[in-house]
Structure formats: structure tokens, C-alpha cells
Amino acid sequence: MRQQIVAVTAAIVLVALFLALWLSNLPGLPAVPYQATRANPTPTTTPLAPTPIVVTATPTAAPTLIPTALPTPTVPPTPVPTPTRRPTPTPVQPTPTPRPHFLEVHDPPDMATIYGPPLIIVSGSTLPWSIVELIYSSSALPERDVRVQADAQGNYASAVPLSTGINVIEVIGYHGSSSRQERQFLQVHYAGSQEELTLTITDPAGASTVSNRILTVTGFTAPDAEVIVSDLIPALPDPTGLWVADLLLQPGANTIRVVASRGDEVTEAVITVTYQPGS
């Protein structure tokens, strides 16, 4: 029985110690001194409360956010309508009435060279029954004039004397029912009288036969004449009157016609040449 009591007492003591230790470790509760039941109790060291370790968190600086610059939106320009310029109205001008041309000189042409007798016939047209005055002069002739009247169709003509060299002729038309005038000026060169215009073909002889297809034709005429061979080829005479032309012949008979002209004078010559290849 005594042993049981001792065992129970020991168990109680152990439970008390355990409770005391447990209670001393609780935070916020004062430590309860433990009194031993033994005669010489061992002083119990009061456990020191654990020093709390304060961990100071070093604040990490927040990264500085650099704002990304947004592009400035380009505002499209507002289209401004271009004002349409009104065309400046052109003032209406009255259409001028052209002055009627009622005087024309048909012959001779201006700057013409005249051969033969020292006289020309100036002719033209104007209004019917109008008066036409011709004033003429040259280095050898004093100024003179002559008046003629146009016929019912307006045609007029008058002889005008010439002297060697330049002759100036002024033709004035007077309107029959008013004082209006119209003028035309002519200059003609009178080269004097000349011998009759002649033309000869010296080569080849007429009615000849040749074997060369290309034929050279030569002849003489007045130095100031114009020469046309076979109605197509011009031949210019030299100061002596010699002219030369080359022709292309066809097999058989070929008629060669040469015409010389000087002013109103015209003369011609004709020959026949037979072309036989290989003859």
C-alpha cells in the first residue's frame, strides 16, 4: 500500500512539473517558481523569455516606370477648296467690217522683166464705171499719168511707155460714188529689145540610132531663156546659150521634144532617136 502511495505521489509530482514547465513557456504568463518537496531544493533558473528576432525587411525601391511617349497623332489638314476663278469676260468687240477691195492689177506682175518694144499694157479690174489713174515714171522719163474708165464689168486697160531700167507704175482706183481711193504699186524692169528667141539641138542628130540607153542631148538658145527637155527635165543655158540634158531611152523609137521660153516668147524643137541595145 505504501508503495502505491509513493507511486501515485511521484506521478502527481511529474504531472505538476510538466504543467509548470508548460505554463512557463506560454507567452504573456509570468513564470511560476517551482518549489521542490525535497529538503534541499535545487534553485530553478527562471528561463529567459526568448528575445524575438526582429527581421527588418529592407524596402526594395520600386522600379521607376518611365512612361513611353505616345506619338503625337498627326492631324490631317482640313482640305480647303480652291476657289474657282471666274474667267474675266472678254468684252465683245464689234466685228470690223473689212474694207472692200475694189482694185486689182492682173498684168504685168510686180517685179517683172519686160523685153521687146518699150511699151506695156497695164490691165486689171475694179468696180464698174470707176475711174483708174496710172502714174508712171523712170530714170529717163518724167512722171506722167493717164486716166481710163472701167467698163460695165469693171475691167480696165491702158498702155504705159517704158524706158530702159526700173519703171515705177502707180495705179489708183477711184470709187464712182464716193471719194474713196485704193492704190497698187508696180515695179517692172525693161531690158530692151532682143533678137528673136531661137532654139537648136546640136547633138544627137535627128533620126539617129544609138546603142547606149543614156543619151546626152545638147543645143543652143538665148542665155536668158528657160529650157525644158521631154516636158520634165530642166536645162539651164550658160552665158553662151549652151544647154545640156541627159535622157533615159526606151527600146525602139524615142521622140525628144525641147521647149525654150522667154517671157511671152516660146519656141521648140523635136527629134527622134532609136535605141537598139547591143547594136
Side-chain angles (χ1 to χ4, degrees):
M1 184 68 180
R2 186 178 181 179
Q3 292 179 348
Q4 294 178 349
I5 292 171
V6 172
V8 171
T9 302
I12 291 171
V13 171
L14 291 173
V15 171
L17 290 173
F18 176 75
L19 289 174
L21 292 173
W22 180 73
L23 289 175
S24 66
N25 290 326
L26 289 177
L29 294 179
V32 178
Y34 173 73
Q35 297 179 355
T37 56
R38 289 183 301 176
N40 297 319
T42 305
T44 304
T45 304
T46 304
L48 299 175
T51 303
I53 300 172
V54 180
V55 179
T56 304
T58 303
T60 304
T64 303
L65 298 178
I66 301 175
T68 304
L70 295 176
T72 304
T74 302
V75 180
T78 304
V80 178
T82 303
T84 304
R85 295 184 59 183
R86 286 187 171 184
T88 303
T90 303
V92 178
Q93 299 291 341
T95 303
T97 303
R99 181 180 178 181
H101 184 75
F102 62 88
L103 177 66
E104 293 183 357
V105 178
H106 301 156
D107 192 68
D110 190 25
M111 304 302 294
T113 300
I114 308 299
Y115 300 96
L119 188 72
I120 59 171
I121 303 297
V122 178
S123 62
S125 62
T126 183
L127 296 177
W129 311 116
S130 294
I131 300 298
V132 178
E133 181 180 13
L134 296 95
I135 302 174
Y136 54 92
S137 64
S138 66
S139 59
L141 291 176
E143 183 176 280
R144 298 180 182 180
D145 69 322
V146 61
R147 290 195 173 202
V148 295
Q149 185 177 25
D151 59 16
Q153 287 73 40
N155 298 318
Y156 68 89
S158 177
V160 174
L162 301 175
S163 64
T164 304
I166 299 297
N167 294 258
V168 178
I169 304 172
E170 181 182 4
V171 184
I172 306 173
Y174 297 92
H175 196 282
S177 60
S178 69
S179 59
R180 287 175 50 194
Q181 301 178 9
E182 186 147 342
R183 300 169 182 264
Q184 299 284 343
F185 286 90
L186 298 176
Q187 285 190 6
V188 294
H189 177 255
Y190 177 57
S193 60
Q194 292 179 332
E195 296 180 359
E196 183 181 358
L197 179 65
T198 60
L199 173 66
T200 59
I201 299 175
T202 57
D203 188 61
S208 59
T209 300
V210 297
S211 60
N212 191 354
R213 189 176 183 184
I214 298 176
L215 177 67
T216 299
V217 182
T218 59
F220 283 92
T221 187
D224 54 353
E226 296 180 358
V227 178
I228 300 295
V229 180
S230 296
D231 301 324
L232 181 64
I233 304 172
L236 181 64
D238 65 10
T240 65
L242 174 67
W243 55 267
V244 179
D246 291 331
L247 301 177
L248 186 64
L249 301 178
Q250 300 296 328
N254 293 261
T255 299
I256 301 173
R257 179 172 177 263
V258 183
V259 177
S261 62
R262 183 183 61 189
D264 296 333
E265 298 178 272
V266 178
T267 185
E268 66 177 39
V270 180
I271 62 173
T272 300
V273 176
T274 302
Y275 168 50
Q276 292 183 354
S279 61

